Amino acid sequence: MVLQALVIGFGVGSLVAALRAVLAAVRLWARGLRVMGVVTPRAPADRRIGGLVRFSDHFGRDLLLDPGKYGPLCGLPRVGRSVPVVYRRDQPTDARLWNVCHLLAPSFGWFFTSTLMFGTAVAVAH
């Protein structure tokens, strides 16, 4: 009974995180500022795959976006190519790539975790 309650609690928490990630993506889509960025290479000492995206915000400041593990999976172009970036006016440091896959990747992971936890709770109940 305790294990089932813990698994259900984790599933509910994951579902809430997924909904928050979807709402953040919808807010960026609806009200975000879109600019073009340029894919730049990482430093030679940095062993992570994929490039970084350099863009300018509405104040003209140069910022650097690290798409992280979602970059190569979500179609980040080669170094030197341009890519659309979206950010909230009050938080340009929290920019994302203007790509449906990149915007929704975190929410997909949370929804998957939530589904897995709810399925585990059903299995534990029987």
Side-chain angles (χ1 to χ4, degrees):
M1 187 71 142
V2 173
L3 180 62
Q4 185 180 10
L6 287 173
V7 173
I8 288 174
F10 191 76
V12 169
S14 298
L15 188 61
V16 169
L19 293 175
R20 288 186 67 196
V22 167
L23 289 175
V26 168
R27 275 189 232 114
L28 277 176
W29 180 79
R31 296 184 184 162
L33 297 173
R34 293 170 199 86
V35 295
M36 291 303 285
V38 177
V39 180
T40 59
R42 291 186 183 272
D46 192 355
R47 294 183 176 246
R48 293 178 286 176
I49 59 173
L52 300 170
V53 179
R54 182 175 305 278
F55 69 98
S56 295
D57 68 355
H58 58 286
F59 292 121
R61 297 178 293 192
D62 282 334
L63 297 169
L64 204 57
L65 166 66
D66 184 2
K69 58 186 170 192
Y70 304 121
L73 297 173
C74 298
L76 186 67
R78 290 179 294 175
V79 173
R81 300 271 180 135
S82 61
V83 63
V85 176
V86 63
Y87 63 92
R88 287 183 19 204
R89 181 176 286 279
D90 57 342
Q91 291 181 335
T93 56
D94 291 338
R96 307 287 304 272
L97 293 178
W98 180 246
N99 180 336
V100 173
C101 186
H102 193 265
L103 286 172
L104 296 178
S107 59
F108 175 76
W110 284 115
F111 274 122
F112 180 74
T113 303
S114 172
T115 304
L116 189 66
M117 289 299 110
F118 288 135
T120 303
V122 168
V124 168
H126 289 308

